[in-house]
Every structure is written in C-alpha cells, then in structure tokens.
Amino acid sequence: MAKKGAAKENKAPATINNRRARFDYEILDSFEAGIALVGSEVKSVYLGRAHLTDAFCRVLRREMLLINFDIEPYDKAGSFAPERRRDRKLLLHRKEIETIDRKSMEKGLTIVPTRVYFKNGRVKVEIALARGKAQYDKRHKLAQDEERREMERVRSERL
C-alpha cells in the first residue's frame, strides 16, 4: 500500500511539435501514421524526451520510414537500449504510402513530420507534404508577425 501523501503523478502524455517545419516549409497536406517503437521508446516519448528537429520521412522498398527521429534512452530501462536515431517504420496503408510517394515525386514536395502525440494509448505521427519556403517568404512572415505584435502592444497600452 502506498504511503499517505505519496500520490502518483498522473501527468498527461507529451505532444512534440516540429516548429521548425512550419517555419521552413509551406504545409500542403497532412496524414496521421502510427509508428513502430519498442517499449522503452514509448515511455521516453510519453515523458516528452523526443526531438523532431532533423527528422524527415522517406519511402524505401514500399515502406515509409521516419529517419533521424531522436528519442532519448529511457533511464529506467534494462540492458537493452535501442539506438537513439535509428530508422523507424511508419504504419500506413499501402495506398496511402503510394499516394504520398507519388505526390512527393510529381510536385517536388518533401515529407516532413510535424507532430508526435498519443491517441488512444498509441503513439501517432502527423506527417505532411510540404514545399520549401524561399528566404524572402520567411523574412516577409517575420516582418508581418513583428508588425502584428507591435499593433497589439499599442492597442493594449491605450486601454
């Protein structure tokens, strides 16, 4: 029986966003995929110890792979610790994989992971077909954001 006052922390599972993808790419279409992980990797993702910074997706041998997805090792795991940046298989229907691959080849798009989250106790990855932004597009977006913030500051000072 647990000691009095030693309540178990019931923390909600983490959602990991790829903010860099939204800055570098124009998102055109998104898909939800499962991901094949081992037990200790699921626990690390649950704790929010995963990084999508350099991750990307590729279709190899009619399978969708998530490459460079960094999951920190779970500290309480036993002797088996999978490689941090190993290629992980994404679980999609064959038709979805073919559609995504065809679109990425035809239009010169790329496949980027935008979010990792839990849904019904399973780890899901949101992948997106995206087109790279030009440098001037990024500068224009930053200028618009700065202008919007300045307007909000002025508006709040008047009240």
Side-chain angles (χ1 to χ4, degrees):
M1 184 159 189
K3 292 182 181 179
K4 189 175 180 180
K8 186 178 178 183
E9 253 185 70
N10 193 3
K11 189 175 138 186
T15 297
I16 298 140
N17 292 314
N18 189 355
R19 294 177 56 202
R20 192 74 197 171
R22 300 236 181 246
F23 182 72
D24 288 338
Y25 298 100
E26 175 188 351
I27 307 298
L28 301 176
D29 199 6
S30 63
F31 301 89
E32 180 181 74
I35 183 168
L37 299 173
V38 296
S40 62
E41 289 178 326
V42 174
K43 292 177 183 181
S44 287
V45 171
Y46 187 88
L47 295 173
R49 296 183 183 150
H51 311 283
L52 281 170
T53 308
D54 297 327
F56 62 96
C57 298
R58 180 172 285 159
V59 178
L60 295 173
R61 296 180 300 276
R62 298 178 70 185
E63 290 183 346
M64 181 79 72
L65 297 176
L66 180 60
I67 301 168
N68 276 345
F69 179 43
D70 183 26
I71 299 177
E72 295 176 17
Y74 185 61
D75 52 344
K76 295 182 180 108
S79 59
F80 175 71
E83 203 175 315
R84 281 180 74 136
R85 289 182 173 256
R86 69 183 178 88
D87 297 347
R88 293 169 175 90
K89 184 178 175 182
L90 293 181
L91 308 173
L92 289 162
H93 291 284
R94 179 80 56 219
K95 285 185 178 181
E96 287 179 315
I97 293 173
E98 290 170 359
T99 302
I100 293 169
D101 190 33
R102 190 175 341 103
K103 285 183 180 180
S104 69
M105 293 293 194
E106 285 175 4
K107 302 176 183 175
L109 303 176
T110 188
I111 309 163
V112 293
T114 54
R115 194 166 64 116
V116 176
Y117 56 95
F118 276 81
K119 182 177 180 182
N120 298 329
R122 300 188 191 275
V123 180
K124 300 290 182 177
V125 179
E126 182 182 89
I127 59 174
L129 281 169
R131 178 179 292 121
K133 285 184 183 175
Q135 188 66 31
Y136 63 85
D137 288 338
K138 295 178 196 176
R139 288 187 194 128
H140 183 69
K141 172 87 168 96
L142 288 173
Q144 282 180 336
D145 290 346
E146 185 61 36
E147 185 178 315
R148 182 183 48 79
R149 280 190 217 106
E150 186 62 34
M151 293 294 282
E152 287 176 4
R153 254 186 243 123
V154 170
R155 195 175 303 135
S156 67
E157 287 176 0
R158 288 183 182 173
L159 298 176

